[in-house]
Amino acid sequence: MGYPDQRFDVNLSILFTELPLLERPAAAAAAGFTAVELWWPWIETPTPPRAELDALKKALDDAGTQLVGLNFYAGQLPGPDRGALSVPGEESDRFRANIEVAADFAASVGCTALNALYGNRVEGADPQVQDALALENLVLAARAADRVGAILLVETLNKPESPLYPLVSAPAAIEVVDKVNAATGLGNAKFLLDLYHLSMNGEDLSQVIEAYAAKTGHVQIADNPGRGAPGTGDLPLERLLDELKDAGYAGWVGLEYKPGERPSADSFDWLPPSARAAG
């Protein structure tokens, strides 16, 4: 048990950001990792030119890295936005324009998990209207994901850092997951369980794992406080990941932490090199 018993991937939107996007897969591979994930890399556009999509695919292929998770278009992230799908008007339209683009790209690189960030509450917009729009867009996203053999992920964020984001507890995200599955009948909507965000919300992490491991499609970790590498804070991450495994979770664990002042490549000393390549 312990860290060597997990399947880790590196989030290239928070680690190795000192490098240009197309150099990050090779940097992750040089650090010993064979799996990576990404937020939507083109924050200005939901529909980047084909040449840019092809260049990212080539960078992943050349590095020998498997993309195991990809966000749909989520607005300015990193930045003030936390998704687009529940934001009426232009942002919702941009999310819809992105659905098939993201699904097709995922299919082209064998990625089977697509994360749809819910989006912030908007001043002056009726929350019920936003939630209805969200369900409509999540149903479209779930169907597109299913078309390419992927799952749709719904993520809880944390209230201190994302005060306008409505899904700031595990039950809130699970409720959305259940609604999407009920609407589509596909069963491919899953919970993205991020131990850092849940801990920031003060949730009982062991209780969340016990209750929702069966509905969890992806896990992300960072320590707390600080959102740094495991061992920089107080979270018993090794024990919690063991609890997930014991509860039946056998999926990926995304490293979504800040490396601090050091280069990203120096932030993995908590994980033996022999445990980095995912089988």
Side-chain angles (χ1 to χ4, degrees):
M1 302 295 278
Y3 290 138
D5 206 30
Q6 305 294 334
R7 289 200 301 164
F8 290 107
D9 72 87
V10 178
N11 188 310
L12 297 181
S13 298
I14 194 168
L15 286 155
F16 296 108
T17 56
E18 62 268 32
L19 299 172
L21 174 65
L22 298 183
E23 293 178 22
R24 294 177 204 169
F33 293 93
T34 53
V36 298
E37 62 181 71
L38 279 166
W39 303 339
W40 184 248
W42 299 277
I43 62 173
E44 301 298 338
T45 177
T47 54
R50 163 61 56 185
E52 293 190 26
L53 293 160
D54 290 344
L56 179 55
K57 180 184 187 306
K58 184 176 187 302
L60 292 163
D61 290 345
D62 288 352
T65 49
Q66 174 66 46
L67 187 69
V68 299
L70 176 68
N71 283 15
F72 286 104
Y73 170 80
Q76 298 291 312
L77 182 75
D81 298 334
R82 296 293 185 271
L85 63 90
S86 69
V87 179
E90 185 180 346
E91 280 299 273
S92 170
D93 292 344
R94 286 160 76 89
F95 177 82
R96 289 194 187 193
N98 175 247
I99 290 174
E100 299 300 335
V101 176
D104 287 344
F105 181 76
S108 77
V109 294
C111 175
T112 56
L114 288 157
N115 183 28
L117 282 168
Y118 201 82
N120 287 330
R121 290 300 193 210
V122 178
E123 189 176 351
D126 183 337
Q128 289 184 308
V129 170
Q130 282 198 257
D131 289 341
L133 177 62
L135 182 58
E136 200 176 302
N137 282 337
L138 285 166
V139 164
L140 294 174
R143 289 179 177 147
D146 182 69
R147 175 177 65 79
V148 298
I151 59 172
L152 173 75
L153 297 169
V154 177
E155 182 175 8
T156 291
L157 299 182
N158 76 77
K159 194 169 183 64
E161 293 174 326
S162 303
L164 299 177
Y165 191 82
L167 307 184
V168 288
S169 73
I174 291 291
E175 183 181 353
V176 173
V177 165
D178 290 345
K179 283 181 178 177
V180 174
N181 285 332
T184 65
L186 296 170
N188 72 326
K190 302 281 186 180
F191 179 41
L192 197 168
L193 192 160
D194 185 308
L195 289 167
Y196 168 74
H197 288 310
L198 296 175
S199 71
M200 285 284 286
N201 289 328
E203 295 189 66
D204 182 326
L205 300 181
S206 295
Q207 192 174 47
V208 168
I209 288 166
E210 184 180 354
Y212 302 126
K215 294 185 177 185
T216 296
H218 190 66
V219 171
Q220 291 173 333
I221 64 169
D223 216 329
N224 187 24
R227 200 174 185 174
T232 59
D234 303 328
L235 288 184
L237 290 168
E238 200 161 10
R239 174 175 65 76
L240 292 166
L241 293 178
D242 283 345
E243 289 177 12
L244 268 160
K245 207 168 188 69
D246 290 343
Y249 180 74
W252 294 97
V253 177
L255 306 180
E256 199 184 54
Y257 63 76
K258 298 175 181 178
E261 298 303 313
R262 55 190 168 168
S264 295
D266 296 340
S267 72
F268 303 111
D269 48 7
W270 58 275
L271 183 63
S274 60
R276 297 176 190 179

